[in-house]
Amino acid sequence: MTYENVLSALGDPTRRQVFEAVSRKPRAVGELASDLPVSRPAVSQHLKVLSDAGLVTCRVEGTRRIYGARPEGLAELRAWLDRYWSDVLENFANEIDAGGRSS
C-alpha cells in the first residue's frame, strides 16, 4: 500500500471513526454499527476500504468476523509524513542560514 491509499481510506470521517474504534479494541461489525450512526452494511463497506488499504485485519471467530487495527498499515503514511517534515525543517534551517549571511 502507499500513503495515498491510506490517506484516501482515512479521508472519510466515518471511516476514521471505524478505524479508531478497532484501534482501541478489536470488534465485530454489529458491535461497531451499534456505536456509530451508520448501518451494519455501511460499516462493512468502510471496513472493506480500510482492509484494502492495509489498515485493518479480520479474524474469524465462529460465525463472526472480528476486525482489528493493523498498525503497520500506517507505516507508509508515517514515512511520508516524516520525510515531508524533515524536508520542511531542512528548508527552514537553510532559510535561516541564508538570512543570517545577508545581514
Side-chain angles (χ1 to χ4, degrees):
M1 289 296 111
T2 65
Y3 73 88
E4 290 103 344
N5 298 91
V6 174
L7 280 174
S8 178
L10 294 175
D12 180 85
T14 303
R15 207 169 292 130
R16 279 194 308 275
Q17 285 182 304
V18 171
F19 180 72
E20 288 169 6
V22 299
S23 294
R24 287 189 295 274
K25 173 185 161 191
R27 301 172 192 219
V29 173
E31 187 180 353
L32 287 164
S34 69
D35 292 339
L36 296 168
V38 294
S39 66
R40 287 176 61 132
V43 170
S44 292
Q45 289 174 348
H46 286 301
L47 285 165
K48 169 80 169 110
V49 173
L50 291 168
S51 178
D52 289 348
L55 292 169
V56 298
T57 60
C58 176
R59 72 176 189 275
V60 177
E61 287 185 3
T63 60
R64 298 177 351 142
R65 294 180 180 270
I66 307 299
Y67 292 87
R70 185 176 170 270
E72 55 273 11
L74 293 173
E76 287 280 339
L77 176 61
R78 187 168 181 181
W80 177 76
L81 289 170
D82 287 345
R83 184 174 57 249
Y84 177 76
W85 186 243
S86 294
D87 291 346
V88 167
L89 290 176
E90 183 178 331
N91 291 337
F92 183 68
N94 291 338
E95 191 64 31
I96 290 173
D97 288 344
R101 287 192 297 261
S102 63
S103 305

